[in-house]
Amino acid sequence: MAGGAPFPIPTGSVLALAAILFCIGLYGALTKRNLIIVLVSIELMLNAANINLVAFSKLSDKPSLNGQIFSLFTITVAAAEIAVGLALLLAIFRLRKTSEVKDLDVHKW
Amino acid sequence: MSGPLIAFYVISLCILGCAVLMLSFRKVIYMALAIGGVFVGCAAIYLLLGAEFVGVAQILIYAGAITILMMFAIMLTNHEATEPPFQWNARNVASAVGCILLGILILLVIRSTPWPQPDTSVDVNGGNSNPVAIGMALFKQYAIPFELVSLLLIVALVGAVILAQHRKEDE
Amino acid sequence: MVAYAWLVPLLPLVAYIFLLCLGRRAPEGIVTGVSVVLTFLSFLVSVAVFRAVGSNPDQVAAYTFHWLTVGSRSISVGFEVTHLNALMLVVVTLVSTLVLLFSKGYMHHDDRFAVFYQYLNLFVFSMLALVISPNFLQLYIFWEMVGLCSYLLVGFWYFKPEAALAAKKSFIVTRIGDVGLFAGIILLFLASGSFDYNTIFVAAAAHKLTLGWISGQALVTLTAILIFVGAIGKSAQFPLHVWLPDAMEGPTPVSALIHAATMVAAGVYLVARAYPLFQASPAALTTVAWIGGITALLGALIALTQRDIKRVIAYSTISQLGYMMMALGVGAYAYGVFHLMTHAFFKALLFLAAGSVIHAVHTQDLFEMGGLHKKLPLTTWTFLAGALALAGIVPFAGFWSKDDIMSATLQSGHTVLYVFALVAAFCTAFYIFRVFFLTFTGEPRNPAKYENAHEGGWVMNLPLVVLAVLATVGGFFNTPLNGNGLEKYLLADGAVGVTYSENVPLMALSVVIALLGILLAAILYWRPLVKPERLARGFGFLYQLSYRKFFFDEIYGAVVVGGGKVMAAIVDGVDRYIVDAIVKLVGRVVYYLGLGLKYTQTGQVQTYGVVAGFGLFIILAIAMYRVGGVF
């Protein structure tokens, strides 16, 4: 059984925050027309996941640093992802003169 | 209602507010600003949860670097771009319905799961300050993943440069 | 010494690898030097092994190592030395050394000189390893390797279409025999649980070879005949003899080494090595004897009329291999092996001498030669020694071995086979002296070619002289004069084979027959009393029968190739209209399905995302529903 004074923030609330943030991000990624905003929405989803990681690092019955470390790795990978993503975006923009998702349909039948 | 709990709800409201704002703005540049608010709010949550280092890193990387990078990208491309208002086409409706359903499902799962009582007697930092503890873990236990991530960053950097540079045949 | 017998095949392998490292442009002198020296060393080791085994029969031994385990059965590799293969080692290394030396002159200035020597060294290695193998599996591996080398060397001048075809033919025809051999080996393995000769032979002698579906005696006969089928293919016996004459498209040293002295003798060696198995089955022995006798006669008859000098000698080889098989078949084990040895010497000699002639006049047609004894005195005399040995004139090598075989045949009660052998002996004497007279005596028939003829230098002459000496005196290894030394040596392996006493009247008869053959050749081709053409017309159909090689190629072409084409047409129909139809049906269905489904591919990533998101939701919902307590 866990000891010490109860932590003031309930686990479920933090997770609910992350879940809502994730769904907002998903909605943005699926509906926004601008490629940059789609990327931003994906970042939002990554942040939601990070909140969960950090939350469990503190709010589990066996707290440890692993969650924080993992979220650091996630942040790093996200940084790399956004750099490549934006570079791709620039290249696409130069070639196609557009940054809208619906125009990028070279795989259409 | 303790102090941290009030702070948590306020911050949560800010985050969700910024996120919804981001969805509803028309101009792309405002959207990028709104996302900055979300990132800062997340950092505050981390601090509340006792992850000082991650919180600061979040501000530095997300709120600082990534948001600014987004700005640059927007400026370099079509900075006049605007999003149209919500259109009642099949895909948008389906997205909205799907996201809401998924959200409700996850919330239901969270509600029905018996979460363990957090053990606040354990100091995850092992007596050190949080950055020191994280440094210890990164360079001892996680040395190899750490190096691999650095490799990944280098590759991403080089890749981004190569992708973004001007080439003759593009003209 | 015997424990070092593995050096014998190893040295040519070293030479092969060394030449491989040197590459194609290696200087001719180094290539020849390395090959000849290493093979000669291997010859010296062989002689030492031969002497060691001879002086102390207990030296006969197999050295094996565990290789792998299949199920509960252990398979070993290694080498063995017996009296039989010690003799083979000496013969093979000796002829190889001489041929490698001879090739220096014959292949001089060939673009792929080094490659030729690589192949030859690989062949010598494979052949020696074949001889020294202690079990059927290892033997089969090297059996295929010599086949491969033969293919490479027959097709060495692959830019000549005939050579490429001949290489293919020799490979495919011997392959038919190899299938038999392989089946025989597998049956023996199933029946005895081992590939080792000795295990199998002990089991055969004790009537312990059994399989469920066949009686013990029938199994022994079946496996012996299957192994003999392998020997038929390799040793060019009737009815698979057709590849050997075509194999003469290869360079002449190859013909001398592979298609006269060593590889074709591997079939005879195989039967000799598996002799205990054959002895356990009289039916198999009778088959061997008859096939051998028929081949001896058939080869000699065809050789009578061929125009190509190498083809005559090739048919002669077929015929002589028939003699060896016949000897083994009638139980005269030692004589068959003895003839193998003498034949290796004089046939290699004849081929090399023919090579020397071809090298001098650049043609193989007998009717473009003539009078060459003035230009090629050494070749003439050495060829004469080989011809006398082949014809079986006292005291040349062939006389002793062939007469041993003939008297053994008669004394074992095979009168018909004896008559075959006698007729073949007459033909042999006739055709080889027909070649001799047409080539070396009389007037030059093609002055242009005659003028440029010259001897090939010491590298070509030395092997000729050595082989001529051996062809002259090689028979004395086994004569009544030395108490049948070789026979005693070979039979020391155990109670294999039967010995027969010499029969002076029979010897005299065969010498007279041979002399008659020579006489006939002389009056037709040396001092023509009768024009050969008139004789040929007189015999008409018979002449055509011999000249056309008894129409074997035509018959095989019609039956085997034609049959193959019909089979192929049937299989082709099945493939085209049944298998292909099914495949095409599957393809069509998928194609039209794809044609319909392609409209879902809008290229819009976000649409895909929505679909995937719904999928995720559904899966999660199902999972949660099954867990329960959520809704």
Side-chain angles (χ1 to χ4, degrees), chain C residues 3-22:
Chain C
Y4 292 103
W6 51 271
L7 276 174
V8 177
L10 187 73
L11 288 167
L13 181 65
V14 168
Y16 169 67
I17 292 169
F18 184 71
L19 292 188
L20 214 55
C21 297
L22 279 186

PDB file of all heavy atoms in Angstrom, chain C residues 3-22:
ATOM      1  N   ALA C   3      49.969 -43.600 -44.428  1.00  0.00           N
ATOM      2  CA  ALA C   3      49.186 -42.563 -43.741  1.00  0.00           C
ATOM      3  C   ALA C   3      49.325 -41.206 -44.423  1.00  0.00           C
ATOM      4  O   ALA C   3      48.542 -40.303 -44.161  1.00  0.00           O
ATOM      5  CB  ALA C   3      49.627 -42.459 -42.282  1.00  0.00           C
ATOM      6  N   TYR C   4      50.311 -41.074 -45.287  1.00  0.00           N
ATOM      7  CA  TYR C   4      50.492 -39.795 -45.994  1.00  0.00           C
ATOM      8  C   TYR C   4      49.894 -39.806 -47.394  1.00  0.00           C
ATOM      9  O   TYR C   4      50.144 -38.907 -48.189  1.00  0.00           O
ATOM     10  CB  TYR C   4      51.977 -39.445 -46.083  1.00  0.00           C
ATOM     11  CG  TYR C   4      52.562 -39.121 -44.743  1.00  0.00           C
ATOM     12  CD1 TYR C   4      53.354 -40.038 -44.071  1.00  0.00           C
ATOM     13  CD2 TYR C   4      52.292 -37.899 -44.135  1.00  0.00           C
ATOM     14  CE1 TYR C   4      53.877 -39.750 -42.826  1.00  0.00           C
ATOM     15  CE2 TYR C   4      52.805 -37.608 -42.888  1.00  0.00           C
ATOM     16  CZ  TYR C   4      53.596 -38.531 -42.241  1.00  0.00           C
ATOM     17  OH  TYR C   4      54.096 -38.226 -41.010  1.00  0.00           O
ATOM     18  N   ALA C   5      49.120 -40.833 -47.686  1.00  0.00           N
ATOM     19  CA  ALA C   5      48.577 -40.951 -49.042  1.00  0.00           C
ATOM     20  C   ALA C   5      47.682 -39.769 -49.403  1.00  0.00           C
ATOM     21  O   ALA C   5      47.487 -39.476 -50.579  1.00  0.00           O
ATOM     22  CB  ALA C   5      47.794 -42.261 -49.181  1.00  0.00           C
ATOM     23  N   TRP C   6      47.155 -39.082 -48.391  1.00  0.00           N
ATOM     24  CA  TRP C   6      46.309 -37.917 -48.700  1.00  0.00           C
ATOM     25  C   TRP C   6      47.077 -36.827 -49.426  1.00  0.00           C
ATOM     26  O   TRP C   6      46.490 -35.955 -50.061  1.00  0.00           O
ATOM     27  CB  TRP C   6      45.686 -37.358 -47.428  1.00  0.00           C
ATOM     28  CG  TRP C   6      46.677 -37.101 -46.329  1.00  0.00           C
ATOM     29  CD1 TRP C   6      47.078 -37.986 -45.380  1.00  0.00           C
ATOM     30  CD2 TRP C   6      47.396 -35.903 -46.086  1.00  0.00           C
ATOM     31  NE1 TRP C   6      48.000 -37.408 -44.561  1.00  0.00           N
ATOM     32  CE2 TRP C   6      48.219 -36.132 -44.958  1.00  0.00           C
ATOM     33  CE3 TRP C   6      47.428 -34.648 -46.702  1.00  0.00           C
ATOM     34  CZ2 TRP C   6      49.067 -35.157 -44.448  1.00  0.00           C
ATOM     35  CZ3 TRP C   6      48.276 -33.688 -46.192  1.00  0.00           C
ATOM     36  CH2 TRP C   6      49.083 -33.948 -45.067  1.00  0.00           C
ATOM     37  N   LEU C   7      48.421 -36.885 -49.332  1.00  0.00           N
ATOM     38  CA  LEU C   7      49.224 -35.887 -50.057  1.00  0.00           C
ATOM     39  C   LEU C   7      49.027 -36.002 -51.561  1.00  0.00           C
ATOM     40  O   LEU C   7      49.171 -35.020 -52.292  1.00  0.00           O
ATOM     41  CB  LEU C   7      50.705 -36.097 -49.736  1.00  0.00           C
ATOM     42  CG  LEU C   7      51.225 -35.460 -48.460  1.00  0.00           C
ATOM     43  CD1 LEU C   7      52.648 -35.897 -48.223  1.00  0.00           C
ATOM     44  CD2 LEU C   7      51.152 -33.950 -48.589  1.00  0.00           C
ATOM     45  N   VAL C   8      48.734 -37.214 -52.024  1.00  0.00           N
ATOM     46  CA  VAL C   8      48.685 -37.438 -53.471  1.00  0.00           C
ATOM     47  C   VAL C   8      47.640 -36.552 -54.140  1.00  0.00           C
ATOM     48  O   VAL C   8      47.969 -35.816 -55.066  1.00  0.00           O
ATOM     49  CB  VAL C   8      48.465 -38.940 -53.768  1.00  0.00           C
ATOM     50  CG1 VAL C   8      48.330 -39.168 -55.247  1.00  0.00           C
ATOM     51  CG2 VAL C   8      49.598 -39.746 -53.188  1.00  0.00           C
ATOM     52  N   PRO C   9      46.391 -36.573 -53.682  1.00  0.00           N
ATOM     53  CA  PRO C   9      45.457 -35.632 -54.320  1.00  0.00           C
ATOM     54  C   PRO C   9      45.676 -34.186 -53.897  1.00  0.00           C
ATOM     55  O   PRO C   9      45.323 -33.273 -54.635  1.00  0.00           O
ATOM     56  CB  PRO C   9      44.076 -36.114 -53.852  1.00  0.00           C
ATOM     57  CG  PRO C   9      44.317 -36.965 -52.699  1.00  0.00           C
ATOM     58  CD  PRO C   9      45.704 -37.479 -52.752  1.00  0.00           C
ATOM     59  N   LEU C  10      46.274 -34.000 -52.731  1.00  0.00           N
ATOM     60  CA  LEU C  10      46.399 -32.628 -52.227  1.00  0.00           C
ATOM     61  C   LEU C  10      47.328 -31.781 -53.106  1.00  0.00           C
ATOM     62  O   LEU C  10      47.044 -30.617 -53.372  1.00  0.00           O
ATOM     63  CB  LEU C  10      46.920 -32.641 -50.791  1.00  0.00           C
ATOM     64  CG  LEU C  10      46.919 -31.263 -50.155  1.00  0.00           C
ATOM     65  CD1 LEU C  10      45.503 -30.851 -49.833  1.00  0.00           C
ATOM     66  CD2 LEU C  10      47.778 -31.226 -48.924  1.00  0.00           C
ATOM     67  N   LEU C  11      48.427 -32.381 -53.578  1.00  0.00           N
ATOM     68  CA  LEU C  11      49.414 -31.589 -54.330  1.00  0.00           C
ATOM     69  C   LEU C  11      48.815 -30.985 -55.603  1.00  0.00           C
ATOM     70  O   LEU C  11      49.008 -29.790 -55.853  1.00  0.00           O
ATOM     71  CB  LEU C  11      50.634 -32.443 -54.627  1.00  0.00           C
ATOM     72  CG  LEU C  11      51.498 -32.736 -53.376  1.00  0.00           C
ATOM     73  CD1 LEU C  11      52.499 -33.824 -53.653  1.00  0.00           C
ATOM     74  CD2 LEU C  11      52.196 -31.469 -52.922  1.00  0.00           C
ATOM     75  N   PRO C  12      48.075 -31.769 -56.407  1.00  0.00           N
ATOM     76  CA  PRO C  12      47.449 -31.113 -57.563  1.00  0.00           C
ATOM     77  C   PRO C  12      46.442 -30.039 -57.158  1.00  0.00           C
ATOM     78  O   PRO C  12      46.282 -29.040 -57.863  1.00  0.00           O
ATOM     79  CB  PRO C  12      46.746 -32.269 -58.287  1.00  0.00           C
ATOM     80  CG  PRO C  12      47.454 -33.477 -57.837  1.00  0.00           C
ATOM     81  CD  PRO C  12      47.910 -33.219 -56.444  1.00  0.00           C
ATOM     82  N   LEU C  13      45.784 -30.253 -56.021  1.00  0.00           N
ATOM     83  CA  LEU C  13      44.847 -29.222 -55.559  1.00  0.00           C
ATOM     84  C   LEU C  13      45.596 -27.934 -55.240  1.00  0.00           C
ATOM     85  O   LEU C  13      45.154 -26.835 -55.582  1.00  0.00           O
ATOM     86  CB  LEU C  13      44.083 -29.714 -54.332  1.00  0.00           C
ATOM     87  CG  LEU C  13      43.056 -28.732 -53.778  1.00  0.00           C
ATOM     88  CD1 LEU C  13      41.944 -28.504 -54.782  1.00  0.00           C
ATOM     89  CD2 LEU C  13      42.470 -29.218 -52.464  1.00  0.00           C
ATOM     90  N   VAL C  14      46.747 -28.104 -54.593  1.00  0.00           N
ATOM     91  CA  VAL C  14      47.576 -26.929 -54.306  1.00  0.00           C
ATOM     92  C   VAL C  14      47.952 -26.232 -55.608  1.00  0.00           C
ATOM     93  O   VAL C  14      47.857 -25.005 -55.729  1.00  0.00           O
ATOM     94  CB  VAL C  14      48.837 -27.357 -53.526  1.00  0.00           C
ATOM     95  CG1 VAL C  14      49.835 -26.215 -53.468  1.00  0.00           C
ATOM     96  CG2 VAL C  14      48.464 -27.808 -52.136  1.00  0.00           C
ATOM     97  N   ALA C  15      48.344 -27.044 -56.600  1.00  0.00           N
ATOM     98  CA  ALA C  15      48.707 -26.462 -57.899  1.00  0.00           C
ATOM     99  C   ALA C  15      47.523 -25.701 -58.483  1.00  0.00           C
ATOM    100  O   ALA C  15      47.666 -24.594 -59.006  1.00  0.00           O
ATOM    101  CB  ALA C  15      49.159 -27.555 -58.857  1.00  0.00           C
ATOM    102  N   TYR C  16      46.332 -26.315 -58.364  1.00  0.00           N
ATOM    103  CA  TYR C  16      45.129 -25.678 -58.920  1.00  0.00           C
ATOM    104  C   TYR C  16      44.888 -24.329 -58.248  1.00  0.00           C
ATOM    105  O   TYR C  16      44.683 -23.309 -58.918  1.00  0.00           O
ATOM    106  CB  TYR C  16      43.932 -26.597 -58.714  1.00  0.00           C
ATOM    107  CG  TYR C  16      42.610 -25.938 -59.010  1.00  0.00           C
ATOM    108  CD1 TYR C  16      42.288 -25.569 -60.299  1.00  0.00           C
ATOM    109  CD2 TYR C  16      41.694 -25.689 -57.999  1.00  0.00           C
ATOM    110  CE1 TYR C  16      41.085 -24.964 -60.579  1.00  0.00           C
ATOM    111  CE2 TYR C  16      40.487 -25.084 -58.272  1.00  0.00           C
ATOM    112  CZ  TYR C  16      40.191 -24.716 -59.564  1.00  0.00           C
ATOM    113  OH  TYR C  16      38.994 -24.103 -59.844  1.00  0.00           O
ATOM    114  N   ILE C  17      44.939 -24.330 -56.913  1.00  0.00           N
ATOM    115  CA  ILE C  17      44.656 -23.087 -56.197  1.00  0.00           C
ATOM    116  C   ILE C  17      45.717 -22.041 -56.520  1.00  0.00           C
ATOM    117  O   ILE C  17      45.415 -20.858 -56.722  1.00  0.00           O
ATOM    118  CB  ILE C  17      44.573 -23.365 -54.689  1.00  0.00           C
ATOM    119  CG1 ILE C  17      43.331 -24.200 -54.406  1.00  0.00           C
ATOM    120  CG2 ILE C  17      44.516 -22.078 -53.895  1.00  0.00           C
ATOM    121  CD1 ILE C  17      43.273 -24.763 -53.033  1.00  0.00           C
ATOM    122  N   PHE C  18      46.961 -22.495 -56.601  1.00  0.00           N
ATOM    123  CA  PHE C  18      48.044 -21.575 -56.919  1.00  0.00           C
ATOM    124  C   PHE C  18      47.805 -20.927 -58.291  1.00  0.00           C
ATOM    125  O   PHE C  18      47.909 -19.703 -58.440  1.00  0.00           O
ATOM    126  CB  PHE C  18      49.364 -22.339 -56.895  1.00  0.00           C
ATOM    127  CG  PHE C  18      50.566 -21.466 -57.122  1.00  0.00           C
ATOM    128  CD1 PHE C  18      50.974 -20.581 -56.138  1.00  0.00           C
ATOM    129  CD2 PHE C  18      51.256 -21.528 -58.303  1.00  0.00           C
ATOM    130  CE1 PHE C  18      52.068 -19.778 -56.346  1.00  0.00           C
ATOM    131  CE2 PHE C  18      52.351 -20.722 -58.525  1.00  0.00           C
ATOM    132  CZ  PHE C  18      52.763 -19.849 -57.540  1.00  0.00           C
ATOM    133  N   LEU C  19      47.451 -21.759 -59.267  1.00  0.00           N
ATOM    134  CA  LEU C  19      47.218 -21.225 -60.612  1.00  0.00           C
ATOM    135  C   LEU C  19      46.015 -20.292 -60.624  1.00  0.00           C
ATOM    136  O   LEU C  19      45.993 -19.279 -61.319  1.00  0.00           O
ATOM    137  CB  LEU C  19      46.992 -22.365 -61.609  1.00  0.00           C
ATOM    138  CG  LEU C  19      48.193 -23.242 -61.896  1.00  0.00           C
ATOM    139  CD1 LEU C  19      47.888 -24.184 -63.033  1.00  0.00           C
ATOM    140  CD2 LEU C  19      49.410 -22.412 -62.240  1.00  0.00           C
ATOM    141  N   LEU C  20      45.027 -20.659 -59.820  1.00  0.00           N
ATOM    142  CA  LEU C  20      43.844 -19.810 -59.722  1.00  0.00           C
ATOM    143  C   LEU C  20      44.236 -18.425 -59.217  1.00  0.00           C
ATOM    144  O   LEU C  20      43.747 -17.404 -59.699  1.00  0.00           O
ATOM    145  CB  LEU C  20      42.854 -20.459 -58.759  1.00  0.00           C
ATOM    146  CG  LEU C  20      41.379 -20.286 -59.048  1.00  0.00           C
ATOM    147  CD1 LEU C  20      41.052 -20.750 -60.450  1.00  0.00           C
ATOM    148  CD2 LEU C  20      40.570 -21.084 -58.046  1.00  0.00           C
ATOM    149  N   CYS C  21      45.160 -18.409 -58.245  1.00  0.00           N
ATOM    150  CA  CYS C  21      45.597 -17.130 -57.693  1.00  0.00           C
ATOM    151  C   CYS C  21      46.425 -16.361 -58.720  1.00  0.00           C
ATOM    152  O   CYS C  21      46.369 -15.136 -58.763  1.00  0.00           O
ATOM    153  CB  CYS C  21      46.407 -17.337 -56.426  1.00  0.00           C
ATOM    154  SG  CYS C  21      45.446 -18.087 -55.128  1.00  0.00           S
ATOM    155  N   LEU C  22      47.198 -17.088 -59.519  1.00  0.00           N
ATOM    156  CA  LEU C  22      48.043 -16.403 -60.502  1.00  0.00           C
ATOM    157  C   LEU C  22      47.200 -15.710 -61.576  1.00  0.00           C
ATOM    158  O   LEU C  22      47.614 -14.721 -62.151  1.00  0.00           O
ATOM    159  CB  LEU C  22      48.972 -17.396 -61.174  1.00  0.00           C
ATOM    160  CG  LEU C  22      50.225 -17.786 -60.406  1.00  0.00           C
ATOM    161  CD1 LEU C  22      51.096 -18.649 -61.285  1.00  0.00           C
ATOM    162  CD2 LEU C  22      50.991 -16.566 -59.945  1.00  0.00           C
TER     163      LEU C  22
END
